[in-house]
Amino acid sequence: RCKNLSVSFWNSYWMLPSDVCGMNCFWEAALRYDDTKTQPSEKTKTQPSEKMHLAVVACGERLEETVTMLRSAIIFSIKPLQFHIFAEDQLHESFKDILDDFPYEGKVNYTLYPITFPTESATEWKKLFKPCASQRLFLPLILKNVDSLLYVDTDILFLRPVDDIWSFLRKFNSTQIAAMAPEHEEPRIGWYNRFARHPYYGATGINSGVMLMNMTRIRRKYFKNDMTTVRLQWGEILMPLLKKYKLNITWGDQDLLNIMFFHNPESLYVFPCQWNYRPDHCIYGSNCKEAEEEGIFILHGNRGVYHDDKQPTFRAVYEAIKNYSFGDDLVGSLLQPLELELQKTVHTYCGRVYKVFIKQLEKSIRDLSVRRSKGS
């Protein structure tokens, strides 16, 4: 669909050729599902808006995990939060029932969206890696009125305010459009540098479980690629990448992002590892020096470690936040019981460095107490 022009060719999520309707094209799916009021900036910018936008994709048995992640975001954050929750239809009522009971105190809003992929290739995208995981690739095209966005996996826990990672938007230089953390700090245990059959960013690849995006810049950028000498926009490059590499990728959409930023390294800002701390940072011995010094800022419980007994340090943090009741004393109801549980895990490699799991949490609780005492 184009303004003042009727065309017979339509392919949702894909940019129509410029000779069909030039710059008047717009995304039908975005208009259908995006009801946010934040308008994109007229000029590309790194300055974040007052409201912080956070997106997550939840399918299958991920309801509880997603809610726990949202709770962790609410506890410490300062500026208002707008949650964009993409979930299977059968999960929508459950999300509403739970989230409507949260004591937001006016600082949190949420919008539920259906899981949606380009019609002609929906089956391919759905079965790529885990169900619904590749939905994140289409967020810049669906949430077209959102200028900047923090995407996180469902198994993320915030141990400090979302505001602090949101502030990295100000640190982007003129070419950077997104920020992610390395997949590994230690190449000897790295997956990409040992096994990948496709290009990847940097020495060990990047992990897309925490991805901060200036979506205005993403939508405007033309990406270098290894498929054509012509640079392609975000909506044009996704399906050709999938077709070229689908037999060579293991981690689905994360691999596609690695390929894109391999060819466009100037576009990525790299987080230190404590902003995306995973079991790989401690199960073979501690290898995230920043976390040792300052603590863990964002905990990423991939490998299902919140729900089994293989990594009890990760599970202890998850259970503590899941069971915390808003309004209860954070020291007595969250921090102290958590430390007691973590002390029981010292027989594991991660348990030996359990203090990195609470160092930042202690500071976040102190800072929150100060803000409350000042009435802010």
Side-chain angles (χ1 to χ4, degrees):
R1 283 166 41 183
C2 305
K3 296 178 183 177
N4 305 320
L5 188 64
S6 175
V7 296
S8 59
F9 171 64
W10 174 249
N11 189 346
S12 59
Y13 291 106
W14 283 68
M15 183 68 73
L16 293 176
S18 58
D19 59 343
V20 176
C21 62
M23 298 301 294
N24 291 325
C25 304
F26 60 97
W27 305 109
E28 182 178 46
L31 290 178
R32 178 181 176 191
Y33 296 127
D34 181 23
D35 61 358
T36 59
K37 297 181 180 180
T38 304
Q39 297 298 319
S41 57
E42 288 299 317
K43 296 181 179 180
T44 300
K45 62 178 185 177
T46 58
Q47 187 74 16
S49 61
E50 185 63 19
K51 182 181 288 187
M52 301 179 295
H53 292 261
L54 187 151
V56 65
V57 179
C59 289
E61 304 298 319
R62 299 285 184 161
L63 175 66
E64 178 195 272
E65 197 172 83
T66 305
V67 170
T68 304
M69 179 276 291
L70 297 175
R71 290 167 61 85
S72 74
I74 293 169
I75 290 173
F76 299 113
S77 294
I78 303 168
K79 289 191 294 229
L81 287 162
Q82 172 68 49
F83 295 141
H84 302 272
I85 304 169
F86 290 79
E88 292 174 306
D89 292 345
Q90 64 267 26
L91 295 178
H92 283 214
E93 285 303 316
S94 296
F95 270 116
K96 290 178 183 177
D97 291 342
I98 296 170
L99 296 177
D100 286 345
D101 283 340
F102 276 11
Y104 292 143
E105 300 178 354
K107 74 172 186 178
V108 176
N109 290 301
Y110 72 87
T111 306
L112 286 164
Y113 304 83
I115 299 296
T116 177
F117 295 105
T119 304
E120 73 287 348
S121 55
T123 301
E124 283 190 84
W125 288 113
K126 284 180 181 178
K127 68 182 182 182
L128 183 65
F129 191 42
K130 295 179 181 178
C132 306
S134 57
Q135 178 74 80
R136 84 182 86 180
L137 294 176
F138 299 95
L139 298 181
L141 309 181
I142 299 173
L143 302 177
K144 75 182 192 71
N145 289 332
V146 177
D147 179 73
S148 296
L149 182 77
L150 175 63
Y151 165 85
V152 295
D153 286 347
T154 60
D155 51 9
I156 291 297
L157 293 172
F158 293 93
L159 304 184
R160 68 183 293 171
V162 175
D163 308 63
D164 295 334
I165 191 169
W166 191 256
S167 69
F168 277 102
L169 289 165
R170 300 190 188 99
K171 298 183 179 181
F172 284 12
N173 65 27
S174 60
T175 65
Q176 289 166 337
I177 65 174
M180 285 179 274
E183 174 69 14
H184 290 281
E185 300 299 308
E186 174 50 68
R188 286 177 296 178
I189 62 173
W191 193 92
Y192 283 107
N193 55 291
R194 292 188 298 160
F195 305 117
R197 295 180 294 161
H198 58 78
Y200 56 88
Y201 178 88
T204 59
I206 46 176
N207 183 282
S208 59
V210 178
M211 184 176 178
L212 183 65
M213 295 178 276
N214 183 317
M215 300 217 294
T216 298
R217 288 184 174 185
I218 288 175
R219 287 185 286 263
R220 292 177 177 176
K221 182 175 176 61
Y222 286 83
F223 293 84
K224 299 188 292 289
N225 62 87
D226 59 359
M227 299 169 293
T228 172
T229 56
V230 177
R231 297 191 180 196
L232 302 174
Q233 287 191 292
W234 190 269
E236 299 172 307
I237 201 170
L238 296 176
M239 179 51 69
L241 269 182
L242 177 61
K243 287 183 176 180
K244 177 170 182 176
Y245 287 105
K246 66 180 179 180
L247 298 180
N248 294 327
I249 58 178
T250 301
W251 307 114
D253 49 304
Q254 177 173 290
D255 290 348
L256 295 181
L257 290 168
N258 265 280
I259 296 167
M260 292 174 74
F261 285 106
F262 169 84
H263 293 291
N264 301 270
E266 75 287 348
S267 298
L268 188 68
Y269 182 100
V270 180
F271 289 135
C273 52
Q274 76 266 47
W275 292 99
N276 188 347
Y277 190 94
R278 284 158 278 122
D280 285 340
H281 288 119
C282 58
I283 59 176
Y284 306 112
S286 182
N287 59 60
C288 177
K289 293 181 179 179
E290 291 87 348
E292 293 174 14
E293 295 170 0
E294 303 177 280
I296 298 167
F297 299 165
I298 294 179
L299 192 69
H300 186 176
N302 63 343
R303 302 173 181 252
V305 293
Y306 294 152
H307 312 293
D308 60 32
D309 297 321
K310 293 180 181 179
Q311 300 301 328
T313 46
F314 282 80
R315 183 166 185 171
V317 179
Y318 176 79
E319 292 292 332
I321 293 175
K322 183 187 75 171
N323 295 327
Y324 171 74
S325 297
F326 287 114
D328 285 355
D329 173 53
L330 281 163
V331 174
S333 298
L334 176 60
L335 183 61
Q336 291 176 346
L338 173 57
E339 185 165 11
L340 290 174
E341 288 300 314
L342 290 174
Q343 289 172 356
K344 300 175 184 178
T345 71
V346 294
H347 61 285
T348 67
Y349 279 114
C350 293
R352 292 177 187 176
V353 293
Y354 78 86
K355 290 188 177 180
V356 305
F357 287 76
I358 58 173
K359 182 180 289 189
Q360 176 58 45
L361 190 60
E362 288 177 326
K363 183 179 185 302
S364 296
I365 291 173
R366 287 198 306 269
D367 292 347
L368 178 60
S369 177
V370 171
R371 293 203 306 271
R372 285 176 174 171
S373 67
K374 293 180 179 179
S376 60

